[in-house]
Amino acid sequence: MIAPNDSIRSWTRDNYLGHKDTSWRRRVEVKKPITYEPGRTPVESHDEFYEHEDLRPSFPNLHWDPLNEVPYHDKGIHGDPHFRNLLASATDVVDCNPKLGTEIHGVNLARLTDAQKNDLARLISVRGVVFFRGQTDFDIDAQRRLGAYFGKLHRHATTSVPRRAGLEDVHVVFNDGTAKDQRAVFAPTFLWHSDVTYEVQPPSYTSLKVLSGPPRGGGGDTLWSSQYGAYDLLSKPMQRYLEGLSAVHSAHMQAEGSRAAGRPVRRDPILTEHPLVRTHPVTGWKPLFINPGFVTGIVGVPKSESIAIIGYLNEIISTTQEIHVRYQWQKNDVAFWDNRICNHSASYGFTGHRRHAVRVASQAERPIFDPAGKSQEEEISARFGLAKVDEHGTRQSNYND
């Protein structure tokens, strides 16, 4: 009778090799049971030493002069159109959707060459927002150095800055998990914004790094909306109408909110007019330049018309799914976006979890509109031979599931 294979192997090891060898024996691995609580993720304890104590929020009682206009040259102009320098060290790159967002793996943001930085700026100009996971080397000093390469770092007039001195150009996002949920205070559409658009030179390239936050599925995601895409959703007559208008961007509500909370306002609030449609200096594409958070009116039109325009555009920005991307953060992830062409919105629902992040923003050019600017959608459709979008809204069609 032939012994089973296991017996043959046992005899061979124990007798032919001349010694008893039990290391080969199959060990039974005990699989730990999965624990799952619907709608609830484990909460990380921060009772012990917290490695980012110096980046906790503070509100120093300072007062700064108004911002002066500074020269700006977009580094994205020097980037390779195929991004070959940046992607030379990448292990994977994938678009989140055709309109907006790209995720890159294998690139260390703390070790970029100037050529790679230029490619990064160009890629952000094209894709709106670019994501990098697990950037442990990209500390706040490296984050500020990269931001300063793109332009003068912006100092926010009202929000918190790190406890560590000398970081007044860093904006701190912090919720220790016990703060009240803010969703009852704001309408969901109102939370969409582009950062500090009331400045004469609002930011361009902006990075946010999450230092600690809810685990996957724990909430606290951020959403971005493409203003290139929002412009392309409009009819040609509406595009031409808006291209002749400007909007008023106000810092006053933000300042009033800080004073009401007993916090300092470090720079006097201002009102600034910017074109409702601008032209991007790198791509030549035309985005809308409006957001619910800071735009208070349209210049030169009746109040009722202004309200209708703002409401219509805000609806497009906040509810059109194909121009959105939603990012689920993990620790040490970094998002780099262009505030000239994106609105973004945080999301709630992470009560109990600490959420701590740091943001660095570079000042850009004063917004301008160039009539020779182009449509992102039309240029890409022509390049790849895609069918032209049908703008005839009265035809009959089935719903797209």
Side-chain angles (χ1 to χ4, degrees):
M1 181 176 179
I2 299 175
N5 289 341
D6 284 349
S7 298
I8 294 172
R9 283 195 291 269
S10 177
W11 184 89
T12 301
R13 288 174 180 272
D14 293 350
N15 295 283
Y16 183 78
L17 297 177
H19 66 277
K20 197 80 170 176
D21 182 4
T22 60
S23 64
W24 62 274
R25 292 186 184 278
R26 188 179 301 160
R27 292 183 174 87
V28 178
E29 293 185 6
V30 179
K31 186 175 183 295
K32 293 182 179 180
I34 293 176
T35 58
Y36 168 64
E37 186 66 36
R40 191 62 183 158
T41 51
V43 176
E44 182 181 358
S45 173
H46 296 281
D47 293 337
E48 303 297 327
F49 170 77
Y50 182 48
E51 61 180 320
H52 301 298
E53 285 290 336
D54 61 331
L55 300 180
R56 279 177 174 267
S58 68
F59 294 89
N61 190 11
L62 305 171
H63 191 270
W64 301 325
D65 293 333
L67 291 177
N68 295 319
E69 196 163 354
V70 295
Y72 177 76
H73 179 74
D74 201 309
K75 295 298 178 67
I77 294 172
H78 306 293
D80 174 22
H82 300 288
F83 320 108
R84 286 169 289 202
N85 303 298
L86 178 65
L87 299 181
S89 58
T91 57
D92 191 27
V93 55
V94 60
D95 287 344
C96 303
N97 65 57
K99 291 286 187 183
L100 178 69
T102 299
E103 186 169 326
I104 298 179
H105 296 185
V107 170
N108 188 333
L109 290 174
R111 300 178 183 175
L112 298 181
T113 65
D114 285 356
Q116 288 179 309
K117 294 172 187 176
N118 295 341
D119 279 10
L120 175 58
R122 190 176 191 94
L123 181 60
I124 299 168
S125 298
V126 172
R127 296 297 304 159
V129 57
V130 182
F131 304 105
F132 301 86
R133 293 199 180 272
Q135 296 290 311
T136 53
D137 294 340
F138 194 59
D139 61 17
I140 191 58
D141 299 309
Q143 190 175 356
R144 292 177 69 238
R145 284 195 297 272
L146 183 52
Y149 178 82
F150 295 134
K152 183 178 179 180
L153 299 185
H154 177 263
R155 296 191 301 176
H156 203 292
T158 61
T159 57
S160 59
V161 301
R163 290 179 177 178
R164 191 208 304 179
L167 300 182
E168 289 78 17
D169 48 24
V170 176
H171 164 64
V172 178
V173 177
F174 187 86
N175 186 314
D176 66 1
T178 62
K180 290 182 179 179
D181 196 310
Q182 298 289 311
R183 62 186 174 188
V185 183
F186 303 106
T189 54
F190 181 79
L191 292 171
W192 287 96
H193 66 284
S194 175
D195 294 321
V196 297
T197 57
Y198 47 75
E199 302 289 19
V200 174
Q201 292 177 270
S204 55
Y205 307 116
T206 302
S207 63
L208 182 72
K209 178 177 179 178
V210 166
L211 306 174
S212 60
R216 188 177 61 174
D221 304 348
T222 304
L223 296 87
W224 281 263
S225 178
S226 170
Q227 300 237 58
Y228 287 147
Y231 173 84
D232 285 331
L233 286 165
L234 304 173
S235 67
K236 293 296 184 294
M238 179 59 76
Q239 289 175 349
R240 288 193 293 269
Y241 170 59
L242 297 181
E243 287 170 0
L245 297 177
S246 295
V248 176
H249 299 245
S250 174
H252 286 270
M253 187 178 69
Q254 201 169 61
E256 290 163 5
S258 290
R259 291 185 178 121
R263 295 169 178 168
V265 175
R266 296 183 288 269
R267 193 165 49 243
D268 293 338
I270 60 174
L271 294 173
T272 308
E273 293 182 14
H274 292 309
L276 199 48
V277 178
R278 67 188 296 176
T279 308
H280 198 285
V282 176
T283 64
W285 295 337
K286 293 185 283 190
L288 289 180
F289 194 59
I290 185 173
N291 67 87
F294 299 122
V295 171
T296 58
I298 307 298
V299 179
V301 303
K303 185 73 171 179
S304 57
E305 189 172 331
S306 174
I307 292 171
I309 294 170
I310 293 172
Y312 169 56
L313 298 180
N314 287 347
E315 181 181 5
I316 288 176
I317 289 165
S318 61
T319 65
T320 307
Q321 294 87 346
E322 64 264 29
I323 65 171
H324 289 177
V325 64
R326 181 174 186 138
Y327 189 70
Q328 194 174 66
W329 295 96
Q330 297 181 52
K331 185 178 180 180
N332 292 319
D333 287 356
V334 173
F336 238 117
W337 71 94
D338 190 339
N339 266 300
R340 296 170 292 187
I341 55 176
C342 283
N343 281 314
H344 60 280
S345 176
S347 62
Y348 296 118
F350 58 92
T351 301
H353 294 285
R354 172 178 291 181
R355 188 172 184 270
H356 187 190
V358 282
R359 189 192 77 197
V360 172
S362 308
Q363 288 180 234
E365 77 280 3
R366 180 193 284 263
I368 62 166
F369 171 70
D370 181 355
K374 300 163 290 184
S375 154
Q376 179 198 47
E377 186 168 76
E378 289 179 0
E379 184 170 282
I380 290 177
S381 295
R383 186 187 308 167
F384 298 109
L386 305 179
K388 186 177 179 181
V389 175
D390 190 341
E391 297 180 348
H392 181 38
T394 59
R395 61 191 173 87
Q396 188 173 357
S397 177
N398 290 327
Y399 175 73
N400 181 29
D401 247 337

